[in-house]
Amino acid sequence: MPGAVEACVDRYGGAIWNLVRRACTNHAEAEDACQDIFVDLWRHAARFDASLASEWTFVMTVARRRLIDRFRRQSRRIRPGAAGEQVLAGIDAEDVGPDESAIVSEDAKLARAAMVDLSDSQRRVIDMSIFGGMSYPEIADELGLPLGTVKTHARRGLLKLRSLLSNEN
């Protein structure tokens, strides 16, 4: 279909750009990530099933997963041979070498520090989702909780984090 790529970029470009800019440390990295996301969307467009989710949900899920994959590749490339799995946000700037300090953003440290004010359930769900890359249904299965409860923990936790972080600025 002529113009389909342009229509997709016009429709979802702003939302994907906002998501990517919040996650990436610089403009060039954000542009690369956006391009990767749109290429992946185009390659896998046939996977979209309207009976499973809306088009918006499909696009944003693909975008989120590509970002997670990108950060996992970067962390393996930047921190080869790290003993065990380290959660990026749990690393302090003093704990990393000069080559690694670029991946430890101030925002991530602030967000991780603010997570101590969440309930255990909220913190666990957000940790599994953001840092573990798990979907809400996967988290529900892992924790033995109803899907609605997992979504509620995530939403309340994210709202509380937003509030805590906006008060610090």
Side-chain angles (χ1 to χ4, degrees), residues 4-20 34 37-38 41 48 54-60 63:
V5 172
E6 292 84 3
C8 181
V9 171
D10 288 345
R11 188 170 197 176
Y12 300 107
I16 290 175
W17 179 251
N18 286 334
L19 176 70
V20 168
C34 274
I37 289 167
F38 279 108
L41 278 170
F48 172 66
S54 69
E55 186 176 310
W56 177 266
T57 301
F58 174 77
V59 169
M60 297 313 286

Side-chain angles (χ1 to χ4, degrees), residues 42 52 58 66 68 71 75 83 88 120 131-132 136 138 165:
W42 189 252
L52 296 176
F58 174 77
R66 290 305 69 82
I68 290 168
F71 293 126
S75 71
L88 177 62
D120 288 339
F131 300 113
Y136 291 152
E138 291 169 335
L165 293 172

